[in-house]
Amino acid sequence: MLLTMTTTHQPATDLGHLLHKHPGRAQSFTTSSGVAHVFYPKATHDECTVALLLEVDPIALVRGPGSTLTQYVNDRPYAAGSLLTVALGTVFRTAMSGRSDSFPELAKTPIPLVVRIPALPHGLAERLFTPLGWTVETTAHPDSRYGDVTLSGTLRVSDALKHLYVLLPVLDGGKHYWVSADEVDKLLKAGDGWLAAHPDKELITTRYLVRRRPLVTSALERLAEVDGVEPEELDNALAEPKISLAAQRKDAVIEELLLARAKRVLDLGCGSGALLRALAAEPQFTEIQAVDVSAKALQEAGRGLDRLGERQRDRITLRQSALTYADPALAGYDAAVLLEVVEHVDPSRLPALEHSVFVVARPRTVLVTTPNVEYNALFETLPAGRMRHSDHRFEWTRAEFAQWAAGVAERCGYTVRHVPIGPEDPERGAPTQMAVFSTKDVK
């Protein structure tokens, strides 16, 4: 993966002093995420560009201690994210601190900078970088959630590096290693001077700490002290550090739907309507259709809607339909959610579900969550070998789910990525696994 930083501050080669890397010498560094190479494609009085190239061994990455990856074929070698953050923190540690013995005043001075990242998940890039003084330009890569992103602004080099250190894994939405309590300290150190005032500090904190609620709570409380805000004025989650797995699933689904800019949403297999109230709370979702085969479940969902305001109720319709039968009335929606649904379907009927959802309905985005059976051994009250619900027809390992999802994506013209939900165990992964499907014609 590659990142470049360019300045036209004159003399531009002063960038080498700020980064503590000589423009006339290529250097290589062994980091925990791979071999990082630093070199200068251009170094003149008028313009200077430094490049950070990270070489990743995907096999060593999967086998490494604490890795959360299970597949040798993955996007980590080229997609900017937590691996590149590790390299940044290792190679430019002194520059990130803002210290320059040779040019102390320049280190404190904002200079014109252009940062280019050729492969970055860009969905939130403008939203997160713009408040920090960056102008964001993106060229989306076809059939991919990645884009060629260019950031332009006049900032101190140390601030630019801190922004990248925090926001690259936030944009990627995950980390390749086990996240522990020391990640809070890393976040607050790199976010010093800007994170507390960022309008999306809660989103940044949550995604940087991969939704580990106790860590997120701790970080937000400490940011509140910095910002002079009472903790109870922050996210309501601070009042209750322990959030149920069901609530974490809904939060993850809502976040992905917002990221996809979905307006018309299908809740497929809605049951008694647990997700409906969360969907109704977001004004972005202008039309919500809840679908279930059970008339009784739809009646319960309808009673739950009585507690909503009139405007929220008017955006929701209920429909009785089986997901294993093609229903043309479900076509044309922006997104569909199957929240803990597929495991209730007989394996022999999964091809029918695939056809009705991914071929006939064919929303731009499909979210599928399902239990990770590998995690079951960590539930103290669940007997060995027993599934989490008596109606489950199966429960997949992460590899089995990934294989099914990859097959669906290939056959139906989607791309797919995976998001863990809930506390992750270094050996067994997260309790819930989510596949995010996107149609290949979405740019």
Side-chain angles (χ1 to χ4, degrees):
M1 63 190 75
L2 178 68
L3 179 150
T4 63
M5 177 183 290
T6 301
T7 186
T8 52
H9 162 83
Q10 296 180 3
T13 49
D14 284 351
L15 182 62
H17 291 282
L18 298 179
L19 295 175
H20 301 266
K21 300 292 180 289
H22 195 285
R25 185 161 64 97
Q27 296 176 265
S28 297
F29 303 84
T30 300
T31 76
S32 60
S33 57
V35 180
H37 305 279
V38 178
F39 55 95
Y40 288 76
K42 186 173 185 178
T44 68
H45 180 275
D46 296 327
E47 184 176 320
C48 186
T49 297
V50 64
L52 175 63
L53 177 65
L54 180 63
E55 289 187 292
V56 175
D57 182 346
I59 295 178
L61 185 62
V62 172
R63 294 177 177 175
S67 175
T68 60
L69 297 174
T70 60
Q71 301 295 319
Y72 292 139
V73 179
N74 56 68
D75 63 355
R76 298 301 85 184
Y78 63 85
S82 60
L83 293 174
L84 191 56
T85 284
V86 170
L88 279 171
T90 302
V91 175
F92 297 130
R93 186 184 306 277
T94 303
M96 197 178 298
S97 72
R99 182 172 64 84
S100 174
D101 296 335
S102 302
F103 291 81
E105 291 305 315
L106 182 60
K108 301 175 184 178
T109 303
I111 63 174
L113 296 172
V114 176
V115 175
R116 184 187 172 198
I117 311 157
L120 178 68
H122 61 86
L124 292 169
E126 186 170 359
R127 174 176 170 180
L128 298 185
F129 277 104
T130 299
L132 300 174
W134 296 97
T135 298
V136 181
E137 297 181 10
T138 300
T139 301
H141 297 313
D143 304 332
S144 171
R145 71 185 181 113
Y146 304 106
D148 188 334
V149 176
T150 300
L151 310 172
S152 306
T154 302
L155 300 92
R156 294 184 300 183
V157 168
S158 59
D159 289 338
L161 292 172
K162 290 178 181 178
H163 297 166
L164 294 167
Y165 183 87
V166 172
L167 295 182
L168 292 185
V170 168
L171 291 168
D172 191 34
K175 292 193 174 182
H176 72 287
Y177 55 83
W178 176 250
V179 174
S180 57
D182 63 351
E183 290 296 299
V184 175
D185 294 328
K186 294 178 184 177
L187 171 64
L188 297 182
K189 184 177 181 180
D192 184 35
W194 63 271
L195 181 56
H198 197 290
D200 277 311
K201 60 178 175 288
E202 294 175 33
L203 173 65
I204 293 170
T205 301
T206 300
R207 289 176 69 94
Y208 184 89
L209 297 172
V210 290
R211 304 180 183 87
R212 294 191 180 282
R213 183 50 56 179
L215 301 184
V216 172
T217 298
S218 173
L220 289 175
E221 286 177 336
R222 291 167 65 180
L223 283 173
E225 294 175 1
V226 172
D227 204 29
V229 178
E230 293 299 323
E232 55 267 26
E233 294 180 30
L234 290 174
D235 183 3
N236 290 335
L238 291 176
E240 179 52 72
K242 295 183 179 179
I243 293 186
S244 70
L245 181 57
Q248 292 181 64
R249 279 194 292 262
K250 286 186 285 187
D251 289 346
V253 164
I254 296 298
E255 181 179 326
E256 290 292 342
L257 291 174
L258 293 174
L259 182 59
R261 293 184 172 87
K263 294 184 178 181
R264 303 177 68 235
V265 178
L266 293 169
D267 182 2
L268 301 179
C270 67
S272 59
L275 180 63
L276 280 178
R277 290 181 287 278
L279 293 171
E282 291 291 343
Q284 175 175 307
F285 309 138
T286 57
E287 182 181 345
I288 305 162
Q289 182 158 195
V291 180
D292 204 281
V293 70
S294 168
K296 182 179 179 181
L298 291 174
Q299 288 175 354
E300 293 181 10
R303 285 193 291 269
L305 299 184
D306 292 339
R307 296 192 291 270
L308 300 178
E310 183 177 353
R311 290 185 179 180
Q312 291 179 322
R313 289 198 307 270
D314 289 345
R315 289 154 47 206
I316 299 173
T317 58
L318 304 178
R319 181 178 181 81
Q320 186 175 10
S321 183
L323 300 185
T324 53
Y325 292 91
D327 187 348
L330 303 182
Y333 282 77
D334 298 323
V337 180
L338 289 88
L339 186 72
E340 306 296 279
V341 170
V342 294
E343 63 274 10
H344 294 270
V345 179
D346 287 325
S348 63
R349 300 294 293 159
L350 286 177
L353 180 144
E354 174 185 330
H355 178 75
S356 65
V357 173
F358 292 90
V359 177
V360 177
R362 195 172 176 77
R364 289 189 292 108
T365 300
V366 181
L367 309 181
V368 178
T369 77
T370 192
N372 167 23
V373 71
E374 298 168 73
Y375 197 91
N376 286 1
L378 300 180
F379 289 112
E380 296 180 0
T381 59
L382 185 64
R386 183 176 297 180
M387 289 188 283
R388 298 186 200 178
H389 193 282
S390 59
D391 188 52
H392 286 185
R393 304 301 198 265
F394 60 86
E395 289 178 355
W396 275 322
T397 65
R398 287 169 291 173
E400 289 169 337
F401 184 44
Q403 183 180 19
W404 175 81
V408 170
E410 182 178 0
R411 289 186 294 270
C412 301
Y414 283 76
T415 60
V416 64
R417 59 185 171 87
H418 293 270
V419 178
I421 301 175
E424 285 188 79
D425 179 80
E427 298 290 335
R428 300 179 180 275
T432 296
Q433 44 192 342
M434 177 165 64
V436 180
F437 296 88
S438 303
T439 50
K440 289 186 175 181
D441 53 343
V442 174
K443 301 296 189 288

